[in-house]
mmCIF file of all heavy atoms in Angstrom:
data_model
loop_
_atom_site.group_PDB
_atom_site.id
_atom_site.type_symbol
_atom_site.label_atom_id
_atom_site.label_comp_id
_atom_site.label_asym_id
_atom_site.label_seq_id
_atom_site.Cartn_x
_atom_site.Cartn_y
_atom_site.Cartn_z
ATOM 1 N N VAL A 13 216.403 152.747 79.000
ATOM 2 C CA VAL A 13 217.022 152.416 77.693
ATOM 3 C C VAL A 13 215.937 151.951 76.712
ATOM 4 O O VAL A 13 215.908 152.356 75.581
ATOM 5 C CB VAL A 13 218.139 151.373 77.895
ATOM 6 C CG1 VAL A 13 218.545 150.781 76.568
ATOM 7 C CG2 VAL A 13 219.332 152.001 78.578
ATOM 8 N N VAL A 14 215.038 151.068 77.221
ATOM 9 C CA VAL A 14 213.977 150.526 76.374
ATOM 10 C C VAL A 14 212.966 151.613 76.019
ATOM 11 O O VAL A 14 212.574 151.784 74.851
ATOM 12 C CB VAL A 14 213.303 149.331 77.072
ATOM 13 C CG1 VAL A 14 212.080 148.882 76.252
ATOM 14 C CG2 VAL A 14 214.270 148.184 77.257
ATOM 15 N N GLN A 15 212.576 152.424 77.013
ATOM 16 C CA GLN A 15 211.640 153.520 76.755
ATOM 17 C C GLN A 15 212.191 154.482 75.701
ATOM 18 O O GLN A 15 211.496 154.911 74.769
ATOM 19 C CB GLN A 15 211.365 154.323 78.061
ATOM 20 C CG GLN A 15 210.559 153.564 79.098
ATOM 21 C CD GLN A 15 210.362 154.386 80.356
ATOM 22 O OE1 GLN A 15 210.960 155.476 80.513
ATOM 23 N NE2 GLN A 15 209.543 153.892 81.259
ATOM 24 N N SER A 16 213.447 154.766 75.845
ATOM 25 C CA SER A 16 214.111 155.698 74.933
ATOM 26 C C SER A 16 214.228 155.118 73.555
ATOM 27 O O SER A 16 213.951 155.799 72.504
ATOM 28 C CB SER A 16 215.468 156.060 75.540
ATOM 29 O OG SER A 16 216.225 156.752 74.571
ATOM 30 N N GLY A 17 214.585 153.846 73.460
ATOM 31 C CA GLY A 17 214.681 153.169 72.143
ATOM 32 C C GLY A 17 213.331 153.132 71.428
ATOM 33 O O GLY A 17 213.263 153.384 70.240
ATOM 34 N N ALA A 18 212.282 152.829 72.161
ATOM 35 C CA ALA A 18 210.939 152.751 71.604
ATOM 36 C C ALA A 18 210.507 154.142 71.109
ATOM 37 O O ALA A 18 209.864 154.259 70.057
ATOM 38 C CB ALA A 18 209.945 152.210 72.600
ATOM 39 N N SER A 19 210.887 155.181 71.826
ATOM 40 C CA SER A 19 210.539 156.538 71.418
ATOM 41 C C SER A 19 211.263 156.921 70.152
ATOM 42 O O SER A 19 210.657 157.462 69.215
ATOM 43 C CB SER A 19 210.922 157.537 72.523
ATOM 44 O OG SER A 19 210.261 157.249 73.713
ATOM 45 N N MET A 20 212.557 156.574 70.069
ATOM 46 C CA MET A 20 213.332 156.832 68.838
ATOM 47 C C MET A 20 212.705 156.093 67.648
ATOM 48 O O MET A 20 212.626 156.653 66.548
ATOM 49 C CB MET A 20 214.762 156.298 68.982
ATOM 50 C CG MET A 20 215.700 157.105 69.882
ATOM 51 S SD MET A 20 217.446 156.573 69.743
ATOM 52 C CE MET A 20 217.404 154.838 69.434
ATOM 53 N N CYS A 21 212.273 154.865 67.891
ATOM 54 C CA CYS A 21 211.645 154.090 66.809
ATOM 55 C C CYS A 21 210.347 154.762 66.335
ATOM 56 O O CYS A 21 210.070 154.814 65.148
ATOM 57 C CB CYS A 21 211.321 152.671 67.291
ATOM 58 S SG CYS A 21 212.746 151.608 67.430
ATOM 59 N N MET A 22 209.598 155.273 67.310
ATOM 60 C CA MET A 22 208.312 155.883 66.930
ATOM 61 C C MET A 22 208.505 157.152 66.115
ATOM 62 O O MET A 22 207.820 157.383 65.105
ATOM 63 C CB MET A 22 207.456 156.171 68.174
ATOM 64 C CG MET A 22 206.003 156.557 67.810
ATOM 65 S SD MET A 22 204.921 156.636 69.245
ATOM 66 C CE MET A 22 204.608 154.913 69.610
ATOM 67 N N ALA A 23 209.492 157.949 66.514
ATOM 68 C CA ALA A 23 209.766 159.175 65.754
ATOM 69 C C ALA A 23 210.176 158.829 64.320
ATOM 70 O O ALA A 23 209.713 159.418 63.338
ATOM 71 C CB ALA A 23 210.902 159.988 66.422
ATOM 72 N N ARG A 24 211.038 157.804 64.191
ATOM 73 C CA ARG A 24 211.482 157.377 62.872
ATOM 74 C C ARG A 24 210.328 156.792 62.031
ATOM 75 O O ARG A 24 210.247 157.023 60.845
ATOM 76 C CB ARG A 24 212.617 156.351 63.024
ATOM 77 C CG ARG A 24 213.259 155.913 61.734
ATOM 78 C CD ARG A 24 213.890 157.071 60.957
ATOM 79 N NE ARG A 24 215.003 157.665 61.605
ATOM 80 C CZ ARG A 24 216.289 157.250 61.502
ATOM 81 N NH1 ARG A 24 216.580 156.204 60.756
ATOM 82 N NH2 ARG A 24 217.256 157.898 62.152
ATOM 83 N N MET A 25 209.443 156.040 62.726
ATOM 84 C CA MET A 25 208.285 155.490 62.027
ATOM 85 C C MET A 25 207.421 156.577 61.418
ATOM 86 O O MET A 25 207.000 156.520 60.269
ATOM 87 C CB MET A 25 207.449 154.662 63.019
ATOM 88 C CG MET A 25 206.122 154.217 62.454
ATOM 89 S SD MET A 25 204.867 153.875 63.750
ATOM 90 C CE MET A 25 204.278 155.530 64.144
ATOM 91 N N VAL A 26 207.207 157.653 62.193
ATOM 92 C CA VAL A 26 206.381 158.760 61.745
ATOM 93 C C VAL A 26 207.038 159.481 60.571
ATOM 94 O O VAL A 26 206.384 159.755 59.541
ATOM 95 C CB VAL A 26 206.105 159.778 62.906
ATOM 96 C CG1 VAL A 26 205.432 161.054 62.360
ATOM 97 C CG2 VAL A 26 205.208 159.113 63.967
ATOM 98 N N GLU A 27 208.337 159.727 60.691
ATOM 99 C CA GLU A 27 209.039 160.467 59.631
ATOM 100 C C GLU A 27 209.173 159.676 58.342
ATOM 101 O O GLU A 27 209.283 160.240 57.250
ATOM 102 C CB GLU A 27 210.453 160.824 60.068
ATOM 103 C CG GLU A 27 210.507 161.924 61.118
ATOM 104 C CD GLU A 27 211.840 161.935 61.867
ATOM 105 O OE1 GLU A 27 212.822 161.399 61.328
ATOM 106 O OE2 GLU A 27 211.863 162.396 63.019
ATOM 107 N N SER A 28 209.221 158.314 58.464
ATOM 108 C CA SER A 28 209.571 157.501 57.302
ATOM 109 C C SER A 28 208.361 157.005 56.531
ATOM 110 O O SER A 28 208.511 156.394 55.473
ATOM 111 C CB SER A 28 210.381 156.288 57.736
ATOM 112 O OG SER A 28 211.511 156.693 58.467
ATOM 113 N N ALA A 29 207.173 157.234 57.036
ATOM 114 C CA ALA A 29 205.944 156.765 56.355
ATOM 115 C C ALA A 29 205.932 157.339 54.929
ATOM 116 O O ALA A 29 206.063 158.536 54.776
ATOM 117 C CB ALA A 29 204.702 157.142 57.137
ATOM 118 N N ALA A 30 205.730 156.452 53.952
ATOM 119 C CA ALA A 30 205.817 156.897 52.561
ATOM 120 C C ALA A 30 204.802 157.992 52.275
ATOM 121 O O ALA A 30 205.103 159.010 51.650
ATOM 122 C CB ALA A 30 205.617 155.709 51.623
ATOM 123 N N SER A 31 203.553 157.766 52.711
ATOM 124 C CA SER A 31 202.580 158.839 52.687
ATOM 125 C C SER A 31 201.824 158.731 54.013
ATOM 126 O O SER A 31 201.073 157.833 54.219
ATOM 127 C CB SER A 31 201.604 158.713 51.490
ATOM 128 O OG SER A 31 201.242 157.386 51.282
ATOM 129 N N PRO A 32 202.129 159.682 54.909
ATOM 130 C CA PRO A 32 201.709 159.521 56.305
ATOM 131 C C PRO A 32 200.192 159.374 56.464
ATOM 132 O O PRO A 32 199.431 160.177 55.936
ATOM 133 C CB PRO A 32 202.171 160.821 56.954
ATOM 134 C CG PRO A 32 203.006 161.531 55.979
ATOM 135 C CD PRO A 32 202.805 160.937 54.633
ATOM 136 N N PRO A 33 199.750 158.273 57.115
ATOM 137 C CA PRO A 33 198.327 158.122 57.440
ATOM 138 C C PRO A 33 197.993 159.071 58.586
ATOM 139 O O PRO A 33 198.034 158.711 59.744
ATOM 140 C CB PRO A 33 198.193 156.660 57.846
ATOM 141 C CG PRO A 33 199.570 156.153 58.078
ATOM 142 C CD PRO A 33 200.577 157.130 57.600
ATOM 143 N N VAL A 34 197.704 160.327 58.250
ATOM 144 C CA VAL A 34 197.626 161.409 59.204
ATOM 145 C C VAL A 34 196.594 161.130 60.301
ATOM 146 O O VAL A 34 196.885 161.299 61.509
ATOM 147 C CB VAL A 34 197.316 162.735 58.485
ATOM 148 C CG1 VAL A 34 197.032 163.862 59.524
ATOM 149 C CG2 VAL A 34 198.451 163.143 57.589
ATOM 150 N N THR A 35 195.394 160.643 59.933
ATOM 151 C CA THR A 35 194.362 160.387 60.918
ATOM 152 C C THR A 35 194.840 159.414 61.977
ATOM 153 O O THR A 35 194.612 159.617 63.166
ATOM 154 C CB THR A 35 193.103 159.820 60.247
ATOM 155 O OG1 THR A 35 192.880 160.539 59.005
ATOM 156 C CG2 THR A 35 191.866 159.997 61.110
ATOM 157 N N SER A 36 195.521 158.358 61.544
ATOM 158 C CA SER A 36 196.039 157.372 62.483
ATOM 159 C C SER A 36 197.150 157.981 63.375
ATOM 160 O O SER A 36 197.187 157.687 64.560
ATOM 161 C CB SER A 36 196.622 156.167 61.759
ATOM 162 O OG SER A 36 195.673 155.593 60.885
ATOM 163 N N PHE A 37 197.988 158.798 62.771
ATOM 164 C CA PHE A 37 199.070 159.415 63.553
ATOM 165 C C PHE A 37 198.518 160.414 64.585
ATOM 166 O O PHE A 37 199.049 160.542 65.656
ATOM 167 C CB PHE A 37 200.043 160.111 62.602
ATOM 168 C CG PHE A 37 201.010 159.181 61.924
ATOM 169 C CD1 PHE A 37 201.844 159.653 60.913
ATOM 170 C CD2 PHE A 37 201.133 157.861 62.307
ATOM 171 C CE1 PHE A 37 202.765 158.831 60.254
ATOM 172 C CE2 PHE A 37 202.053 157.008 61.664
ATOM 173 C CZ PHE A 37 202.875 157.493 60.659
ATOM 174 N N GLN A 38 197.425 161.107 64.239
ATOM 175 C CA GLN A 38 196.844 162.085 65.174
ATOM 176 C C GLN A 38 196.410 161.377 66.464
ATOM 177 O O GLN A 38 196.475 161.974 67.543
ATOM 178 C CB GLN A 38 195.627 162.776 64.561
ATOM 179 C CG GLN A 38 196.038 163.855 63.548
ATOM 180 C CD GLN A 38 194.829 164.594 62.971
ATOM 181 O OE1 GLN A 38 193.712 164.046 62.954
ATOM 182 N NE2 GLN A 38 195.048 165.809 62.531
ATOM 183 N N LYS A 39 196.032 160.113 66.361
ATOM 184 C CA LYS A 39 195.570 159.370 67.539
ATOM 185 C C LYS A 39 196.689 159.130 68.527
ATOM 186 O O LYS A 39 196.467 158.710 69.654
ATOM 187 C CB LYS A 39 194.946 158.023 67.110
ATOM 188 C CG LYS A 39 193.704 158.209 66.281
ATOM 189 C CD LYS A 39 192.966 156.838 66.147
ATOM 190 C CE LYS A 39 191.696 157.014 65.297
ATOM 191 N NZ LYS A 39 191.862 156.372 63.968
ATOM 192 N N LEU A 40 197.934 159.336 68.117
ATOM 193 C CA LEU A 40 199.075 159.117 69.019
ATOM 194 C C LEU A 40 199.165 160.225 70.033
ATOM 195 O O LEU A 40 199.730 160.042 71.132
ATOM 196 C CB LEU A 40 200.387 159.018 68.237
ATOM 197 C CG LEU A 40 200.490 157.958 67.129
ATOM 198 C CD1 LEU A 40 201.847 158.034 66.454
ATOM 199 C CD2 LEU A 40 200.246 156.566 67.691
ATOM 200 N N CYS A 41 198.688 161.414 69.691
ATOM 201 C CA CYS A 41 198.900 162.616 70.519
ATOM 202 C C CYS A 41 198.463 162.441 71.983
ATOM 203 O O CYS A 41 199.249 162.707 72.879
ATOM 204 C CB CYS A 41 198.262 163.849 69.888
ATOM 205 S SG CYS A 41 199.085 164.339 68.345
ATOM 206 N N PRO A 42 197.204 161.996 72.252
ATOM 207 C CA PRO A 42 196.793 161.880 73.638
ATOM 208 C C PRO A 42 197.693 160.926 74.460
ATOM 209 O O PRO A 42 197.973 161.157 75.630
ATOM 210 C CB PRO A 42 195.357 161.368 73.550
ATOM 211 C CG PRO A 42 194.927 161.683 72.154
ATOM 212 C CD PRO A 42 196.127 161.669 71.284
ATOM 213 N N ARG A 43 198.109 159.814 73.794
ATOM 214 C CA ARG A 43 198.924 158.844 74.518
ATOM 215 C C ARG A 43 200.306 159.410 74.842
ATOM 216 O O ARG A 43 200.893 159.109 75.864
ATOM 217 C CB ARG A 43 199.003 157.553 73.698
ATOM 218 C CG ARG A 43 197.651 156.886 73.463
ATOM 219 C CD ARG A 43 197.784 155.589 72.733
ATOM 220 N NE ARG A 43 198.363 154.564 73.567
ATOM 221 C CZ ARG A 43 198.429 153.273 73.189
ATOM 222 N NH1 ARG A 43 197.911 152.915 72.027
ATOM 223 N NH2 ARG A 43 198.992 152.383 73.940
ATOM 224 N N ILE A 44 200.823 160.199 73.901
ATOM 225 C CA ILE A 44 202.129 160.834 74.122
ATOM 226 C C ILE A 44 202.028 161.855 75.295
ATOM 227 O O ILE A 44 202.910 161.895 76.153
ATOM 228 C CB ILE A 44 202.638 161.491 72.831
ATOM 229 C CG1 ILE A 44 203.040 160.378 71.825
ATOM 230 C CG2 ILE A 44 203.849 162.395 73.109
ATOM 231 C CD1 ILE A 44 203.284 160.841 70.442
ATOM 232 N N CYS A 45 200.958 162.639 75.277
ATOM 233 C CA CYS A 45 200.713 163.611 76.414
ATOM 234 C C CYS A 45 200.743 162.895 77.743
ATOM 235 O O CYS A 45 201.345 163.329 78.687
ATOM 236 C CB CYS A 45 199.358 164.268 76.264
ATOM 237 S SG CYS A 45 199.333 165.537 75.026
#
């Protein structure tokens, strides 16, 4: 439940960024893999 909630939050965080800090977001990819 917690893992799933945190994942939902992260997706929403990425989508809602006013102007996405792309370089910082790209760093999430290896950890998600």
Side-chain angles (χ1 to χ4, degrees):
V13 167
V14 173
Q15 290 179 351
S16 169
S19 301
M20 286 191 327
C21 285
M22 191 172 283
R24 184 61 65 88
M25 171 204 79
V26 170
E27 287 161 24
S28 306
S31 40
V34 173
T35 319
S36 305
F37 281 171
Q38 284 183 334
K39 295 192 180 108
L40 304 179
C41 293
R43 298 184 70 173
I44 289 169
C45 284

